[in-house]
Amino acid sequence: MPNLAWYSHEICFWHDPGPGSGYVPVGPGIEPLRQFAVDPDLRRSEGLVRASGVLDRFTQVTPVPATDEELLLVHVPEHIDRIEATSALGAGDAGVYAHVNYHSARAARLAVGACVQATAAVLDGTFDRAYCLVRPPGHHAEPDRAMALCLYNNVAVAARTAQLRGAARVMVLDWDVHHGNGIQRTFYEDPEVLYVSIHQEGLFPPASGLVTETGAGPAVGTTLNVPLPAGSGHETYLAAVSRIVAPAARAFAPDLILVAAGVDAGGHDPMGRMMCTSRTFHTMASMLCDLAEELTHGKIVFAHEGGYSAWYQPMLVLGTAAAIAGLPEPQDPFLHSLEHLPGQRLRPHQNRVIEHLESRHPLLAGTGSGSGSGSGESANNGAGSGVNGAVTGGVGP
């Protein structure tokens, strides 16, 4: 049985990007509304994991805030200063759609601290696997600016920490429904970090996360974007993991796997148009833990990112946590509303994105990863939009 750690902090639940509608703050035409990212929802997620008994399998660890030295591994000083100053005012925008309250600066340091400390503990053998249930999220934050609810780039700082602690090669898998532009930008020219993103094509940020973005200079091939069409569900995500993520990981041979484990690809999430269920996240997390056992002596860290369905986020977090703990998938009272839908099957236009990457991505071409293992429907039917949007870069906001 692996030795598991659970990192969370009450102050992370106190971060609040403020009232508005969606990610837009109160203003002309915007009536005050309970913000979708308020973190009683995340507290409910931890509550469900505890009530189910799954949290008993983990050692609970209270993180300490990240230091300036740690933040500066990724971010410029001016970025840190802006977050601290805006938070000290009690409210404001610390970047681009990155609203904060009085507690946000400390919560953001705690979120980074949790990921950094979990990574260090896994690398030194204190724990085998770790899960960080933290807010604010991080994968959109760039070295010089906060963006889209993300203040500091939690996973990017953790990856830099891993490199300093002797990990020669780090793999970051990001399955948040949005593309992690901040992680990609941080490591785009670093051949020692493989960044793989499975996201909804063209959702956010605009014109980011294209299949043609594969890295630069000596790092060509160490960025791998899997932009799936809207409406993708269980079979498509599992195909992406088995046919893209796993072969890429084996070719890269990492010493550590970090997972930016957003759950906003869930079928009830208002910020995406995907169809994933708790079963999907449980299966993907199980596959990644198995991959870590094969490649990294089991060393893997999961960090929560997005998730905005007040009722479904807790179940998706539970599914992820249960898989990390090696437990069966949880009973999901919402599963019946999603699992029968046609979008749960791998469709031809979705399969073509995966086939394109299997045959053309620098890290995958020639590895024999192309299995042609799509469903019979995928293999035989020609309907669908193909990968034109993914390949040519046609995206929208």
Side-chain angles (χ1 to χ4, degrees):
M1 179 65 190
N3 191 10
L4 312 174
W6 181 278
Y7 288 77
S8 64
H9 197 288
E10 178 67 21
I11 294 298
C12 286
F13 305 149
W14 292 18
H15 161 67
D16 181 354
S21 181
Y23 53 82
V24 180
V26 173
I30 305 297
E31 180 182 0
L33 177 70
R34 179 188 176 282
Q35 166 61 264
F36 61 83
V38 170
D39 288 304
D41 294 341
L42 201 61
R43 185 186 283 115
R44 290 177 65 245
S45 297
E46 185 169 79
L48 181 60
V49 177
R50 178 178 288 107
S52 70
V54 172
L55 196 56
D56 295 338
R57 301 297 184 104
F58 291 79
T59 298
Q60 292 182 252
V61 182
T62 301
V64 298
T67 65
D68 284 356
E69 182 180 13
E70 289 167 334
L71 296 176
L72 289 168
L73 292 174
V74 169
H75 298 289
V76 299
E78 295 79 9
H79 174 74
I80 300 170
D81 292 343
R82 180 173 180 180
I83 290 172
E84 294 287 345
T86 309
S87 184
L89 293 173
D93 193 342
V96 181
Y97 298 130
H99 293 268
V100 300
N101 70 352
Y102 176 81
H103 302 287
S104 297
R106 186 172 178 223
R109 284 181 180 265
L110 285 163
V112 175
C115 296
V116 165
Q117 292 145 40
T119 296
V122 166
L123 284 174
D124 69 21
T126 303
F127 299 108
D128 301 308
R129 305 172 185 170
Y131 187 98
C132 302
L133 188 70
V134 293
R135 278 290 202 220
H139 73 151
H140 293 309
E142 299 188 337
D144 55 353
R145 63 176 176 171
M147 179 185 291
L149 307 176
C150 300
L151 302 185
Y152 299 125
N153 202 311
N154 310 325
V155 171
V157 179
R160 285 289 188 224
T161 299
Q163 291 178 303
L164 289 177
R165 287 179 166 266
R169 300 166 79 82
V170 179
M171 174 181 172
V172 178
L173 170 62
D174 183 351
W175 63 47
D176 189 280
V177 77
H178 308 98
H179 179 245
N181 56 291
I183 302 177
Q184 177 171 299
R185 180 179 167 189
T186 301
F187 300 111
Y188 203 64
E189 299 181 19
D190 187 341
E192 296 178 349
V193 176
L194 169 63
Y195 176 60
V196 184
S197 177
I198 305 174
H199 53 273
Q200 181 180 322
E201 177 195 356
L203 181 58
F204 185 88
S208 181
L210 310 180
V211 295
T212 51
E213 298 167 358
T214 61
V220 169
T222 58
T223 294
L224 203 174
N225 286 309
V226 189
L228 298 176
S232 297
H234 185 78
E235 285 188 7
T236 306
Y237 269 79
L238 299 193
V241 173
S242 63
R243 293 165 54 189
I244 302 297
V245 176
R250 294 185 180 109
F252 185 72
D255 300 304
L256 172 73
I257 297 175
L258 302 175
V259 182
V263 296
D264 43 6
H268 291 296
D269 200 286
M271 294 299 286
R273 295 295 180 267
M274 295 309 213
M275 303 288 290
C276 295
T277 68
S278 61
R279 179 172 294 161
T280 313
F281 287 103
H282 182 276
T283 307
M284 290 197 298
S286 296
M287 294 169 76
L288 264 294
C289 289
D290 289 344
L291 197 60
E293 292 294 332
E294 175 188 340
L295 300 175
T296 69
H297 302 287
K299 298 181 185 301
I300 186 168
V301 176
F302 293 77
H304 186 75
E305 287 281 348
Y308 308 104
S309 172
W311 63 90
Y312 204 35
Q313 176 177 257
M315 186 58 60
L316 302 180
V317 170
L318 176 60
T320 304
I324 296 168
L327 298 172
E329 67 182 70
Q331 290 188 341
D332 181 352
F334 302 102
L335 194 60
H336 72 281
S337 67
L338 295 170
E339 65 177 348
H340 68 285
L341 297 175
Q344 299 301 350
R345 298 193 295 273
L346 178 62
R347 310 304 291 271
H349 64 296
Q350 299 159 346
N351 191 51
R352 280 195 284 272
V353 177
I354 296 172
E355 288 179 334
H356 174 89
L357 288 165
E358 286 178 313
S359 62
R360 299 189 188 184
H361 189 274
L363 193 61
L364 296 174
T367 65
S369 64
S371 63
S373 59
S375 65
E377 177 185 21
S378 298
N380 298 324
N381 290 347
S385 61
V387 295
N388 290 334
V391 175
T392 63
V395 297

